[in-house]
Amino acid sequence: PASNGSSCCFPTGCECIWTDWIDVSYPDSSDRNGGDYETFQNIQKKNSSWVCEKPVNITCRATKFPTVPIASLGQKVKCDVETGLTCNNRDQQIGGIIPMPVCLNYEIRVCCIPDIPECIPGHTTPPVPPVLTPTTPPESTSAVSTTTARPTPSKPTTTTTIITTTTESTPVSSTLGTTTT
């Protein structure tokens, strides 16, 4: 089979896993409007426990000619990861590998990403974006504090001046001077 092709795009442990060969439909050669339909929808109808949340690769082959590429069989067949395989009897021409204008019986293998939230894009809960609140710088303030003691013969006079200025959330404090007499 082709490579799983998922190593570049999915987290570790989320590489696709190949199924066994699946064959749930058989073409009726007497029904011109019939065909072979190995679609994901038909597989799910026949086997309700079958889950392939994210098919990333598919391989299709004719059951009677497993080593012959389907392009070499001379039949008009659609094999893709969107739907599976479809072959309509009405689209077939006489000739090719069989002498009747009817679909061969086909089977498919699908490479599926595991059905776990971290492996399936869109199934995870998106991270909550941070709440942004506007900030405004605090107002500039100035405070002057003065303490004066009355002079007495036994006590010195002390004057202290403190100016505090705050801008943009960075407090700045300075002491202008201390005088002792």
Side-chain angles (χ1 to χ4, degrees), residues 128-149:
V128 177
V131 176
L132 300 175
T133 54
T135 58
T136 56
E139 297 178 17
S140 291
T141 57
S142 294
V144 177
S145 173
T146 304
T147 305
T148 305

Side-chain angles (χ1 to χ4, degrees), residues 91-110:
D91 295 337
Q92 308 313 314
Q93 303 296 320
I94 294 175
I97 205 158
I98 60 170
M100 297 171 37
V102 66
C103 292
L104 292 166
N105 185 39
Y106 291 92
E107 60 187 358
I108 67 172
R109 287 182 71 201
V110 185

Side-chain angles (χ1 to χ4, degrees), residues 64-82:
K64 290 192 188 256
F65 306 98
T67 60
V68 179
I70 59 173
S72 300
L73 294 173
Q75 296 213 315
K76 185 174 179 185
V77 175
K78 181 178 178 185
C79 175
D80 67 33
V81 295
E82 298 300 317

